[in-house]
């Protein structure tokens, strides 16, 4: 369960979604100074001691409970790296800065802590942008430290100078340029607070070289408390009551969860709600694991590659209870045909998400966990007698949809990618952390691995960036050394950050990579196959490395399966080995992901085969 502790006190309001960006100098600070109950012993430690900006950075990181930094050095951060060995903080050197951010992202998702990265200025900083954008879209709390040229050179086209604050403005929750050592402590404190509070997200802190070398007196700042920023955790009671009344009246309810369920640690409350009101549950890709994937009320994912039953239930329901989900286009399809007969309740911590894409009858701004607790309590005062009897016809209808079009595939002499995912599920007993790349591999992982626990499915949902899975597996394995971590990959995506095998080998992280090798950029080829009369342009990936030899070249283990019979022994062997392993599954080349809602169509208009 995630707990972005320390949790700020509930009951304040804040206009989230509006990014705030600060250039701090001697005079400016939006921190109000008070002795709150934040981390450490505010205002007491080290008073009177002069420290460099770099040391101050680590003092605050330690106080924030940071144990690991994913990073890549360079001239602008050399003072920071020089100081690092004096502190008990582990550093994982990735082979690309993008990978450092993805690893920190997955570390955050699987540990519940804020992920931290450190990179140099210029190209180091620009290489992080994809990772930052991915974390931003998925609301993952990260603090990304970038080096910057000395403050006197800013704006001079200095060597390796880029305006990373400007570049990341649209894809961070907040960002800072720190020009003086005296600003380091409070800025870092604030960055962590912003990253983890309210709707979480990435915060960039750009550190000028002179701010790291300069010495100032260090006073550990108090817990951050920012004027004008006060996330609202407690829902409006009247709205929760309205929701409870609608739920009690509804004949055909559907619950639809998103990543917010997982971020707020609300899975148990979601299950209680579903069982209390006997309502079927579906989630977005980001919400997988938020509700048990083996539960009777589980409809599987909805949307473009959602199940027939999930999409039909949304289309026919009379009440849709959206929890911590954004209603993005991959989920809704054609908006005017999305839940056309339903009243909509939408619970979200971010008020700007509500009413953004769909009209909502009962908007509730609040933390998903707190809101569901209150809703569950309020439902005890509603008439729910015989609710399961009353909803019987609805559940029978859903069962009929499931029987009409179950998730299925036809075996043939070649390996089917779905079969590989099913075998991974079976042999890991559903207990692995699954990361994915992007494309068909990601969708098959979502459809055929059943997640009973939150924080077990780690994927780039909102941005959908290829190259995510292997670094994410590294971050997850670092956070959870005792768990099996499998990256379900495509042969295209894995080549985007394959160099991270070196990071896995160096750090003895026994991640397993299962490449569903179809020799294509499969998802794009699927669109070309279905909608462009099989005109395959720029999607043939058959000119590829020998993945087995490549694994060996990095010091990892490589294995290949070319027939269905070889699949199980390869997975078994890989799971037994305490080493990073690449499994190259040579699969049916032109397999497609079904169901599929063509872009712009209504979600009930699915292609089923
Ligand atoms: C960085 C990036 N570039 C391009 C895309 C567009 N894209 C989405 S899926 C896909 C194909 C992925 O191919 P592969 O990794 O082989 O996986 P498959 O679909 O075959 O499972 C592409 C190119 C993307 N999502 N991310």
């Amino acid at each position: 369960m995630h707990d972005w502790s320390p949790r700020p006190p509930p009951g304040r309001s804040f206009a989230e979604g509006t990014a705030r960006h600060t250039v701090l100098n001697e005079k400016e600070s939006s921190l109000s100074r008070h002795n709150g109950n934040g981390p450490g012993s505010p205002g007491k430690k080290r008073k009177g001691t002069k420290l460099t900006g770099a040391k101050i950075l680590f003092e605050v990181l330690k106080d924030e409970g940071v144990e690991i930094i994913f990073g890549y050095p360079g001239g602008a951060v050399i003072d920071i790296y020089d100081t690092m060995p004096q502190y008990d903080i582990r550093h994982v050197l990735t082979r690309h800065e993008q990978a450092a951010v993805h690893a920190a992202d997955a570390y955050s998702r699987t540990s519940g802590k804020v992920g931290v990265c450190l990179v140099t200025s210029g190209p180091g900083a620009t290489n992080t942008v994809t990772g930052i954008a991915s974390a931003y879209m998925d609301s993952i709390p990260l603090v990304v430290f970038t080096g910057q040229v000395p403050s006197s050179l800013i704006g001079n086209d200095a060597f390796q100078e880029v305006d990373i604050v400007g570049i990341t403005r649209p894809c961070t929750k907040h960002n800072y340029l720190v020009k003086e050592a005296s600003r380091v402590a409070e800025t870092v404190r604030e960055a962590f607070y912003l990253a983890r509070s309210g709707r979480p997200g990435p915060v960039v802190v750009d550190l000028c070289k002179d701010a790291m070398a300069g010495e100032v007196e260090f006073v550990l700042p108090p817990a951050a408390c920012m004027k004008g920023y006060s996330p609202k955790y407690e829902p409006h009671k009247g709205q929760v009551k309205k929701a409870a009344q609608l739920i009690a009246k509804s004949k055909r309810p559907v619950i639809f969860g998103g990543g917010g369920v997982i971020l707020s640690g609300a899975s148990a409350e979601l299950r209680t709600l579903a069982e209390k009101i006997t309502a079927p549950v579906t989630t977005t890709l980001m919400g997988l694991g938020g509700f048990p994937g083996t539960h009777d009320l589980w409809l599987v994912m909805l949307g473009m590659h959602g199940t027939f039953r999930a999409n039909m239930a949304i289309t026919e329901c009379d009440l849709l209870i959206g929890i911590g989900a954004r209603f993005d286009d991959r989920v809704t399809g054609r908006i005017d045909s999305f839940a056309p007969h339903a009243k909509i309740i939408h619970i979200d911590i971010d008020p700007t998400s509500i009413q953004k894409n769909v009209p909502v009858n009962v908007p509730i701004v609040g933390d998903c966990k707190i809101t569901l607790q209150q809703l569950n309590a309020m439902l005890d005062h509603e008439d729910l007698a015989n609710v399961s009897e009353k909803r019987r016809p609805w559940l029978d209808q859903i069962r009929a949809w499931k029987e009409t079009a179950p998730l299925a595939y036809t075996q043939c002499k070649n390996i089917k990618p779905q079969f590989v995912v099913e075998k991974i599920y079976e042999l890991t007993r559903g207990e692995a952390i699954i990361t994915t790349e992007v494309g068909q591999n990601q969708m098959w992982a979502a459809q055929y691995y059943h997640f009973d626990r939150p924080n077990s499915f780690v994927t780039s949902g909102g941005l959908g960036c290829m190259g995510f899975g292997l670094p994410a597996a590294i971050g997850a394995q670092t956070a959870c050394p005792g768990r099996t971590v499998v990256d379900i990959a495509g042969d295209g995506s894995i080549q985007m950050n394959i160099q991270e095998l070196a990071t896995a080998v160096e750090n003895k992280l026994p991640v397993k990579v299962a490449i569903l090798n179809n020799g294509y950029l499969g998802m794009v080829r699927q669109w070309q196959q279905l909608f462009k009369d099989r005109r395959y342009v720029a999607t043939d990936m058959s000119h590829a490395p020998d993945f087995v030899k490549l694994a060996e070249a990095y010091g990892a283990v490589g294995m290949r399966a070319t027939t269905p019979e070889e699949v199980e022994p390869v997975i078994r062997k890989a799971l037994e080995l305490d080493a990073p392993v690449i499994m190259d599954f040579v699969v049916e080349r032109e397999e497609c992901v079904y169901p599929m809602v063509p872009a712009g169509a209504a979600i009930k208009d699915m292609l089923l085969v």
Side-chain angles (χ1 to χ4, degrees), residues 383-535:
D383 179 15
L384 293 177
N386 305 324
V387 70
S388 20
E389 268 323 296
K390 281 192 210 148
R391 306 246 159 100
R392 187 62 46 208
W394 178 226
L395 295 180
D396 287 346
Q397 169 66 79
I398 285 168
R399 198 161 304 116
W401 283 323
K402 180 176 176 183
E403 279 158 20
T404 313
L407 265 185
Y409 61 95
T410 326
Q411 280 287 11
C412 67
K413 67 176 185 10
N414 294 326
I415 302 174
K416 287 285 181 132
Q418 301 92 325
F419 174 69
V420 175
V421 178
E422 275 185 343
K423 275 286 164 207
I424 295 173
Y425 174 69
E426 187 188 311
L427 297 174
T428 57
R429 297 180 303 280
E431 288 165 6
I433 294 177
I434 300 293
T435 70
T436 75
E437 303 293 337
V438 167
Q440 295 182 310
N441 58 86
Q442 182 183 32
M443 294 301 124
W444 285 318
Q447 292 177 337
Y448 289 90
Y449 201 98
H450 313 294
F451 299 92
D452 277 334
R453 285 198 269 168
N455 310 315
S456 296
F457 183 58
V458 181
T459 197
S460 171
L463 192 69
C465 63
M466 295 168 70
F468 178 85
L470 176 54
I474 286 171
Q477 190 78 80
T478 316
C480 307
R483 288 187 68 185
T484 300
V485 180
V486 183
D487 171 28
I488 295 184
D491 49 309
S493 303
I494 194 66
Q495 293 184 65
M496 285 209 173
N497 273 318
I498 188 87
Q499 75 287 344
E500 297 309 322
L501 265 184
T503 312
V505 171
E506 183 192 355
N507 290 278
K508 300 193 169 39
L509 299 168
V511 297
K512 318 295 175 212
V513 181
I515 303 178
L516 307 178
N517 187 351
N518 52 19
Y520 280 119
L521 296 174
M523 187 57 99
V524 183
R525 188 223 72 234
Q526 170 165 343
W527 286 46
Q528 292 172 335
Q529 184 174 338
L530 299 177
F531 310 117
K532 304 284 177 202
D533 287 334
R534 279 201 149 85
R535 290 189 299 279

Side-chain angles (χ1 to χ4, degrees), residues 9 45 52 107 133 139 153 184 240 275 279 322 380 387 398 402 425 544:
K45 257 204 240 170
T52 62
Y107 173 85
S139 307
L153 293 184
V184 174
V240 179
E275 289 174 351
D380 290 339
V387 70
I398 285 168
K402 180 176 176 183
Y425 174 69

Side-chain angles (χ1 to χ4, degrees), residues 276-297:
K276 197 184 262 273
I277 66 172
T278 321
V281 181
T282 178
T283 69
T284 63
L285 187 70
M286 289 299 294
L288 289 175
F291 188 77
T294 47
H295 199 288
D296 275 354
L297 291 167

